[in-house]
């Protein structure tokens, strides 16, 4: 069953959890993949929304964050767009290198890349697309 969901919410960190829950509730047919959905997708989407609220929109409640989710077959695609100026994700230092391990930046981007099958940014850098593929023949394990 294919499904689409579009949400907009103000740039308030308190709204992130509700947005993530609304997206996860939209995919009851994914219950067989609950662990991967609840770990990989939840963490990745939460990081994307946090980045949009905190860095993209600077927590300005007048600037909405838009979430578009498409569930098509065994693939979940979530697009998160903020109203900010964008950034270059390639310019964000790798948080796993020794010189960056004590710095605070880049961990959210790292988690998204590790937990999801694909992570893409638009040219402006204010929209990230997350793709998670659920193995139709297997419903249990999370892969991180």
């Amino acid at each position: 069953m294919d499904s689409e969901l579009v949400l907009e919410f103000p740039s308030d960190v308190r709204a992130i959890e509700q947005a993530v829950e609304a997206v996860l509730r939209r995919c009851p047919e994914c219950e067989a993949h609950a662990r991967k959905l609840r770990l990989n997708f939840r963490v990745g989407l939460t990081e994307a929304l946090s980045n949009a609220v905190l860095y993209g929109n600077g927590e300005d409640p007048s600037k909405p964050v838009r979430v578009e989710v498409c569930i098509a077959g065994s693939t979940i695609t979530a697009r998160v767009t903020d109203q900010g100026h964008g950034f270059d994700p390639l310019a964000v230092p790798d948080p796993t290198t020794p010189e960056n391990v004590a710095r605070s930046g880049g961990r959210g981007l790292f988690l998204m890349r590790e937990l999801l099958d694909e992570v893409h940014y638009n040219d402006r850098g204010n929209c990230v697309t997350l793709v998670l593929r659920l193995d139709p023949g297997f419903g249990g394990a999370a892969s991180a």
Side-chain angles (χ1 to χ4, degrees), residues 7-23 25 45-46 49-50 53-54 59 61 63-65 67:
L7 299 173
E8 279 196 9
F9 66 93
S11 292
D12 183 334
V13 292
R14 295 173 294 186
I16 293 172
E17 185 176 343
Q18 290 178 322
V20 171
E21 289 301 323
V23 170
R25 280 194 307 270
L45 182 59
T46 300
L49 294 174
S50 297
V53 168
L54 297 173
E59 294 188 82
K63 295 179 178 178
V65 173
V67 184

Side-chain angles (χ1 to χ4, degrees), residues 10 16 43 53 58 60 66 74 86 90 102 106 115 117 128 130 133-134:
I16 293 172
V43 171
V53 168
D60 180 344
R66 183 178 177 90
S74 60
L90 298 177
L115 294 173
D117 294 303
V128 61
L130 312 172
R133 290 186 193 85
L134 303 172

Side-chain angles (χ1 to χ4, degrees), residues 38-121:
R38 290 186 183 138
L39 174 65
N40 297 43
F41 191 71
R42 177 188 297 270
V43 171
L45 182 59
T46 300
E47 289 296 335
L49 294 174
S50 297
N51 287 343
V53 168
L54 297 173
Y55 304 115
N57 288 349
E59 294 188 82
D60 180 344
S62 70
K63 295 179 178 178
V65 173
R66 183 178 177 90
V67 184
E68 300 166 76
V69 178
C70 178
I71 302 165
S74 60
T75 301
I76 302 173
T77 302
R79 181 177 302 130
V80 176
T81 306
D82 62 55
Q83 303 302 306
H85 298 292
F87 76 108
D88 179 1
L90 298 177
V92 177
D94 180 350
T96 64
T97 60
E99 66 271 16
N100 295 324
V101 83
R103 295 183 179 173
S104 62
R107 287 178 175 75
L109 300 182
F110 173 79
L111 285 172
M112 287 189 286
R113 287 192 299 259
E114 291 296 312
L115 294 173
L116 297 156
D117 294 303
E118 295 178 32
V119 178
H120 305 281
Y121 297 88

